[in-house]
Amino acid sequence: MAEVLDGYVEHIVYRNEDNGYTVLNLQTSNFETTCVGYFNFISEGEFIHATGDFIEHPVYGEQFLVESYQLKEPEDIYAIERYLASGAIKGVGPALAKRIVKKFKEDTFRIIEEEPERLAEVKGISERIARDISVQFDEKKDMRNAMIFLQQYNITGNLAVKIYNEYGPKMYEIIKENPYRLAEDISGVGFKTADQIAKSVGLGSDSEYRTKAGILYALLQASNDGHVFLPEQELIIRTKELLQTDEDNIARQITALSIEKKIIIKDKDNERRIYSSVFYYMELNTARMLNDLNIRYDYSNDFVRRRLVKIEEQFQIELGEMQKIAVEAAAGNGLLILTGGPGTGKTTTINAIIKFFEEEGMDILLAAPTGRAAKRMSETTGYEAKTIHRLLELAKLSEGEDSRFTFEKNENNPLEADVVIIDEMSMVDISLMHALLKAITVGTKLILVGDVNQLPSVGPGNVLKDMIESSCFPVVKLSKIFRQAAGSDIIINAHKINAGQQISLDNKSKDFFFLKRMDSNVIAAVMINLIKNKLPGYVKASPYEIQVLTPMRKGELGVERLNQILQQALNPPAADKKEKEYNHTIFREGDKVMQIKNNYQLAWEIKSEHGITTQTGTGVFNGDAGKIKEINTFSERITVEFDDLRNVEYGFSQLDELELAYAITIHKSQGSEYPAVILPILDGPRLLFNRNLLYTAVTRAKRCVMIVGNNDTIQFMVDNKSEQNRYSGLKECILELS
């Protein structure tokens, strides 16, 4: 049974400003006790009503663990004096507080609010100080009243502060009339949170505000599935399932949102496409900027070929005919798409292009969507490559918890380069492509490199595929497998999979193996043995570098279950390893983890081997992987060292951004390469278990692929060309503008 304490905050012992975790001394009418918990808005002198339980801390003794709390107005002369004496009002200490309360008694707060000039009747208070006390008191009272008002709708303290900071006194009207505005205006507030508030306020389920918010939320959810727009009927169905309202009401509000310019309706091929206005103009402007860059340059092919002969001699390489054509196309065009599967010489071609433009005295920038891909690009070219986010110089637009971010490099401050080369283009979504193009001036060459047969980007859009299918830009496709790659069954089988040809699973290969196992528990045990004992020596890599890739998140062989099993086997509990449980996941020092959402404000640093900070920056992105170096239970922070050596500190409240990464989905592996890949494949849904997915998984391995599971399922995946259809209109936009 939970206990209840009423009292004032005597002293704040410790406070973590990132997550609100606080240790404070609470003075009740009978005794003083130490309270611990998450107080997103609290200051000394506040009067609170706290619910929780007394616990025994092994070091600090008895504490009251606060589960929930409410701010209350001080209710008697003693509480009023304690509040004023707490330091909540700057310039008012214990002695002055005592004199004020002695003079005005229970009327003290009214005097401060309504007749502040009378404070000058108290010794030591001038008229200026009286006005200052009144102003401060009003500010504190406004915030305190806002907290009390919002708590009745079960709004957390942290969210309440965000709401108050966004709207100020207007928040009362907004909460009561249209709480769905919160989902549009405040970072971290989604439709479901706004809907709960609306129900608490008593807003009807058929409210036009609710229907409009539901439509926008359905479009947002669609973008999380990769869609840039939705056909109108599909949007209506999704919104109806979400809101349980009638279709006519939804159709009316679609029209209303169109009039308000929050959505764009576009008729195409007897179909009404519904875009959020942001994505519509993003796609349209992307098409325009691509067409602007697509210009011809006066380069003689004979000149290019003569230059390539010298490059081949100097660097002892031999270029194939299509590789030479690619260099010619790079020289003669403002925009080039270079595509091809593994082993077809994309990296050699990129290097030849770089060497050619270097000879021309041009400045070249290299980038890729992820840290792993950028690191690999640096290693294979010998030139510095950055993530696209770092290339565009991520920067804060505003300070505070709701910091907004932008890119420093844009149309007003473009990249200073003659040539920009982007690798792993299949991973680039419409938002990132739009930001990149804004920073590239007409006259700068843009070379886009990628494998169009891999899985599309996690974010919305189908950028690389749409560009190629538009047939509006120069495309060079490399298909010949070179001699050094022809000895790898990983590469041979990848091309067979892509062509829909059955692959051999007879284990006569040196780098492509199959173990038939038909039970998920047996498969898990086999994988543990492979990671711990068999593969490290074979591929000359540590168990940490060997990656399990699985098609699914849920199920017996899904990410969530496999990570628990693999963590227990590869990084079990130990006396010298601290750990933290968060949302049913145990994070332990030494664990392999992955960032699962973009966080533009997370600070990072890179240190030398002597512990000196050599680089700093902000931004950690979806798919970045690393290892937990330290868990500090006192400061409630976890330090992760990512694979590119960035060190990042996470507050315990930020652990929803991390997950264990002993096993990851194949989607999350895009842009990465591992010494060895283990694929547990037993059975699964037809739409997911397709050729595209298997091809992407196999091409993530550098030295060894090990498939454990059902050979019939593997052959089914090779035959299965079905892919989830993505709604994107970039191809049509390009064609219209060209």
Side-chain angles (χ1 to χ4, degrees):
M1 184 73 179
E3 297 192 49
V4 174
L5 294 181
D6 288 312
Y8 64 86
V9 179
E10 175 76 31
H11 175 58
I12 293 177
V13 179
Y14 168 79
R15 179 165 174 79
N16 185 326
E17 293 297 339
D18 287 339
N19 59 21
Y21 180 78
T22 306
V23 179
L24 58 84
N25 294 334
L26 187 75
Q27 181 67 56
T28 72
S29 57
N30 301 318
F31 59 91
E32 182 177 306
T33 189
T34 299
C35 292
V36 296
Y38 292 92
F39 297 82
N40 291 303
F41 176 78
I42 199 77
S43 60
E44 292 179 351
E46 298 283 4
F47 206 84
I48 65 171
H49 175 82
T51 303
D53 289 295
F54 282 99
I55 60 171
E56 190 70 27
H57 191 280
V59 176
Y60 303 108
E62 187 180 69
Q63 297 178 334
F64 188 73
L65 179 62
V66 177
E67 294 176 0
S68 63
Y69 74 100
Q70 289 181 315
L71 297 171
K72 299 178 71 178
E73 287 277 7
E75 296 171 336
D76 53 36
I77 292 177
Y78 180 65
I80 292 170
E81 182 182 331
R82 296 301 304 190
Y83 176 74
L84 292 176
S86 68
I89 308 296
K90 290 179 182 177
V92 179
L96 189 53
K98 193 175 188 69
R99 292 201 297 273
I100 293 172
V101 174
K102 185 178 180 181
K103 173 75 175 174
F104 300 114
K105 300 183 173 55
E106 289 92 345
D107 211 22
T108 296
F109 282 175
R110 189 195 67 76
I111 294 292
I112 293 174
E113 285 186 87
E114 299 175 11
E115 303 177 72
E117 68 280 358
R118 289 192 58 193
L119 291 173
E121 298 173 15
V122 178
K123 183 180 178 182
I125 299 181
S126 64
E127 288 186 10
R128 182 187 63 79
I129 293 174
R131 285 194 302 271
D132 189 44
I133 290 172
S134 179
V135 168
Q136 286 191 63
F137 185 82
D138 283 345
E139 290 173 351
K140 292 279 185 179
K141 184 179 178 62
D142 286 346
M143 176 65 90
R144 187 167 57 252
N145 288 343
M147 298 298 105
I148 293 168
F149 171 77
L150 293 171
Q151 281 170 350
Q152 67 182 308
Y153 300 119
N154 298 316
I155 297 173
T156 65
N158 192 27
L159 178 54
V161 172
K162 286 185 179 184
I163 294 170
Y164 182 78
N165 288 340
E166 178 73 25
Y167 301 124
K170 291 182 180 178
M171 80 169 197
Y172 300 99
E173 178 185 346
I174 290 167
I175 291 292
K176 289 179 177 177
E177 289 187 6
N178 180 17
Y180 294 100
R181 271 190 60 182
L182 274 62
E184 293 184 50
D185 298 341
I186 299 176
S187 170
V189 179
F191 170 80
K192 291 182 179 177
T193 301
D195 203 32
Q196 287 174 351
I197 296 169
K199 287 176 183 175
S200 300
V201 172
L203 209 62
S205 61
D206 59 348
S207 157
E208 69 174 76
Y209 296 128
R210 182 172 188 261
T211 308
K212 287 178 181 176
I215 292 165
L216 294 174
Y217 179 72
L219 284 174
L220 176 65
Q221 290 299 100
S223 73
N224 292 337
D225 295 333
H227 303 303
V228 178
F229 68 85
L230 282 179
E232 184 176 39
Q233 196 54 43
E234 187 167 336
L235 174 60
I236 288 173
I237 290 169
R238 287 188 180 214
T239 308
K240 183 179 179 180
E241 288 176 358
L242 175 70
L243 302 179
Q244 300 299 308
T245 187
D246 67 271
E247 294 187 8
D248 290 342
N249 180 32
I250 297 168
R252 282 195 302 273
Q253 299 314 323
I254 287 175
T255 302
L257 285 169
S258 175
I259 294 169
E260 295 170 18
K261 306 295 186 187
K262 290 182 178 178
I263 63 172
I264 303 294
I265 301 174
K266 189 173 181 182
D267 292 314
K268 182 73 177 177
D269 300 331
N270 300 317
E271 173 188 75
R272 275 162 61 96
R273 297 178 172 183
I274 313 296
Y275 292 79
S276 71
S277 57
V278 171
F279 280 129
Y280 175 78
Y281 290 111
M282 196 178 282
E283 205 167 59
L284 193 64
N285 286 328
T286 296
R288 176 186 57 77
M289 291 185 286
L290 286 170
N291 277 312
D292 289 346
L293 291 175
N294 189 28
I295 55 181
R296 285 284 304 167
Y297 288 89
D298 187 19
Y299 264 97
S300 158
N301 284 348
D302 287 341
F303 170 78
V304 176
R305 293 283 174 138
R306 288 195 300 273
R307 177 69 59 75
L308 286 177
V309 170
K310 293 180 180 178
I311 290 172
E312 285 178 310
E313 290 174 355
Q314 183 179 354
F315 295 98
Q316 297 184 337
I317 58 174
E318 183 180 343
L319 297 172
E321 180 61 23
M322 289 306 295
Q323 291 175 306
K324 292 175 182 177
I325 289 172
V327 181
E328 290 172 352
N333 293 281
L335 194 156
L336 170 67
I337 299 169
L338 177 64
T339 185
T344 56
K346 291 197 299 294
T347 298
T348 303
T349 308
I350 293 171
N351 283 330
I353 290 170
I354 291 170
K355 300 291 189 297
F356 179 86
F357 286 130
E358 269 194 330
E359 288 288 322
E360 293 292 282
M362 293 185 174
D363 292 325
I364 305 163
L365 293 175
L366 309 181
T370 66
R372 275 179 177 265
K375 183 181 179 184
R376 195 169 77 250
M377 195 180 188
S378 296
E379 291 168 350
T380 56
T381 64
Y383 294 83
E384 181 189 14
K386 299 179 179 179
T387 63
I388 298 173
H389 289 88
R390 287 179 68 185
L391 182 75
L392 298 179
E393 298 179 11
L394 198 67
K396 281 187 180 183
L397 262 180
S398 61
E399 295 296 329
E401 187 175 354
D402 274 333
S403 299
R404 290 179 172 85
F405 289 79
T406 186
F407 292 113
E408 291 278 10
K409 295 296 182 182
N410 51 42
E411 62 270 42
N412 299 317
N413 180 29
L415 293 165
E416 295 178 5
D418 301 301
V419 182
V420 176
I421 303 176
I422 306 295
D423 198 8
E424 296 287 355
M425 260 302 297
S426 62
M427 297 180 66
V428 176
D429 63 22
I430 191 67
S431 303
L432 191 55
M433 190 64 180
H434 184 256
L436 174 67
L437 292 172
K438 283 170 65 179
I440 297 177
T441 55
V442 175
T444 298
K445 289 176 177 291
L446 177 61
I447 299 168
L448 306 175
V449 185
D451 185 348
V452 74
N453 295 306
Q454 286 187 25
L455 292 169
S457 59
V458 175
N462 228 345
V463 176
L464 182 62
K465 189 174 182 181
D466 279 356
M467 288 180 66
I468 292 172
E469 290 187 353
S470 75
S471 301
C472 291
F473 309 110
V475 178
V476 176
K477 183 176 181 180
L478 303 176
S479 55
K480 178 185 175 184
I481 302 175
F482 283 84
R483 282 195 306 273
Q484 60 270 34
S488 166
D489 285 316
I490 296 174
I491 290 172
I492 298 297
N493 284 334
H495 284 271
K496 283 185 175 181
I497 292 166
N498 191 40
Q501 300 170 9
Q502 292 300 334
I503 57 176
S504 174
L505 300 174
D506 59 10
N507 290 331
K508 292 180 180 179
S509 169
K510 292 181 180 179
D511 60 6
F512 198 101
F513 303 97
F514 169 71
L515 295 176
K516 185 172 182 176
R517 302 290 187 274
M518 303 300 286
D519 180 272
S520 58
N521 292 324
V522 174
I523 290 172
V526 168
M527 290 195 297
I528 291 168
N529 186 37
L530 288 169
I531 296 169
K532 291 179 73 172
N533 305 315
K534 301 294 186 182
L535 286 179
Y538 189 74
V539 298
K540 296 179 174 57
S542 69
Y544 174 83
E545 296 173 284
I546 297 166
Q547 187 62 56
V548 174
L549 302 180
T550 178
M552 303 169 293
R553 289 198 58 81
K554 304 289 185 181
E556 293 289 297
L557 292 175
V559 163
E560 294 174 7
R561 179 172 184 263
L562 285 181
N563 269 319
Q564 292 181 348
I565 294 170
L566 294 170
Q567 180 194 44
Q568 184 64 30
L570 303 174
N571 189 32
D576 61 343
K577 292 179 185 175
K578 295 190 183 72
E579 55 185 51
K580 165 65 181 175
E581 184 174 357
Y582 184 88
N583 280 353
H584 310 297
T585 297
I586 294 173
F587 292 98
R588 186 175 295 130
E589 289 176 340
D591 271 339
K592 192 174 179 178
V593 291
M594 176 175 278
Q595 176 82 8
I596 59 171
K597 61 176 75 170
N598 289 339
N599 186 327
Y600 297 99
Q601 68 182 40
L602 265 180
W604 55 262
E605 63 179 8
I606 297 176
K607 292 185 176 182
S608 70
E609 58 185 41
H610 303 296
I612 299 170
T613 299
T614 57
Q615 278 183 270
T616 61
T618 58
V620 184
F621 304 105
N622 191 352
D624 288 353
K627 182 183 285 189
I628 295 178
K629 283 180 65 178
E630 181 187 9
I631 297 178
N632 189 321
T633 53
F634 179 76
S635 64
E636 297 203 317
R637 303 191 78 74
I638 286 182
T639 302
V640 175
E641 182 174 83
F642 285 94
D643 291 343
D644 56 6
L645 303 182
R646 289 174 302 154
N647 281 267
V648 177
E649 283 194 352
Y650 292 81
F652 281 1
S653 64
Q654 295 172 295
L655 293 182
D656 61 335
E657 299 188 16
L658 288 176
E659 68 180 17
L660 296 176
Y662 297 98
I664 63 174
T665 62
I666 296 168
H667 277 87
K668 290 284 188 184
S669 73
Q670 288 175 266
S672 298
E673 191 176 64
Y674 310 96
V677 161
I678 302 175
L679 306 176
I681 296 177
L682 197 54
D683 52 39
R686 175 184 174 82
L687 196 61
L688 181 62
F689 275 54
N690 58 32
R691 181 186 302 173
N692 197 218
L693 192 81
L694 183 61
Y695 174 79
T696 301
V698 167
T699 55
R700 299 308 89 209
K702 193 173 182 180
R703 297 195 281 274
C704 179
V705 168
M706 179 68 75
I707 303 177
V708 188
N710 185 351
N711 56 314
D712 291 339
T713 304
I714 297 161
Q715 307 297 16
F716 167 79
M717 292 177 76
V718 173
D719 292 333
N720 183 19
K721 289 179 65 178
S722 64
E723 296 176 37
Q724 183 177 1
N725 184 37
R726 280 198 168 201
Y727 297 117
S728 65
L730 182 61
K731 173 184 171 181
E732 286 79 8
C733 287
I734 292 168
L735 287 167
E736 287 174 12
L737 290 172
S738 66

